[in-house]
């Protein structure tokens, strides 16, 4: 899944925006090598009611939303506590 993250910080407050832009899919079957493709979130169901494969992309949107909330929680923790990743703290 492709996405953008933007964090605005002003007056001691933070605003976090996450925009899901594309689904990345892998299709495979039989003895052929897998093929990879992307589809825009805005072109798929449920964002676009006429989009195809509604159950698949409804689940993908749900999983993407859960992942976004996990990212927001990690960003919030980093803002409040500082960077807690020891590998990235070297040289700071």
């Amino acid at each position: 899944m492709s996405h953008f993250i933007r964090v605005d910080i002003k007056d001691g407050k933070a605003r976090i925006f996450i925009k899901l832009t594309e689904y990345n899919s892998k299709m495979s079957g039989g003895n052929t090598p897998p093929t990879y493709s992307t589809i825009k979130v805005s072109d798929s169901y449920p964002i676009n009611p006429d989009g195809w494969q509604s159950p698949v992309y409804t689940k993908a949107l749900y999983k993407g939303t859960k992942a976004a909330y996990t990212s927001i929680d990690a960003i919030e923790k980093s803002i409040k506590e500082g960077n807690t990743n020891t590998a990235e703290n070297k040289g700071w």
Side-chain angles (χ1 to χ4, degrees):
M1 184 167 303
S2 300
H3 61 278
F4 294 100
I5 298 175
R6 183 178 114 195
V7 180
D8 295 339
I9 300 174
K10 181 180 178 183
D11 299 328
K13 297 179 183 178
R15 244 183 349 188
I16 303 169
F17 298 90
I18 296 183
K19 180 179 179 180
L20 305 174
T21 56
E22 291 180 335
Y23 297 119
N24 303 314
S25 63
K26 174 183 173 183
M27 296 180 213
S28 60
N31 295 326
T32 60
T35 58
Y36 300 89
S37 64
T38 60
I39 184 171
K40 291 182 179 182
V41 172
S42 60
D43 290 343
S44 63
Y45 189 89
I47 305 301
N48 178 356
D50 297 325
W52 57 287
Q53 292 194 8
S54 58
V56 171
Y57 289 107
T58 300
K59 288 178 186 178
L61 182 64
Y62 173 75
K63 289 179 182 181
T65 302
K66 278 182 65 176
Y69 279 112
T70 300
S71 295
I72 288 171
D73 290 342
I75 292 167
E76 180 181 10
K77 182 179 178 184
S78 291
I79 290 170
K80 288 180 177 178
E81 300 176 12
N83 188 356
T84 57
N85 185 335
T86 56
E88 292 182 14
N89 280 336
K90 295 178 181 177
W92 279 81

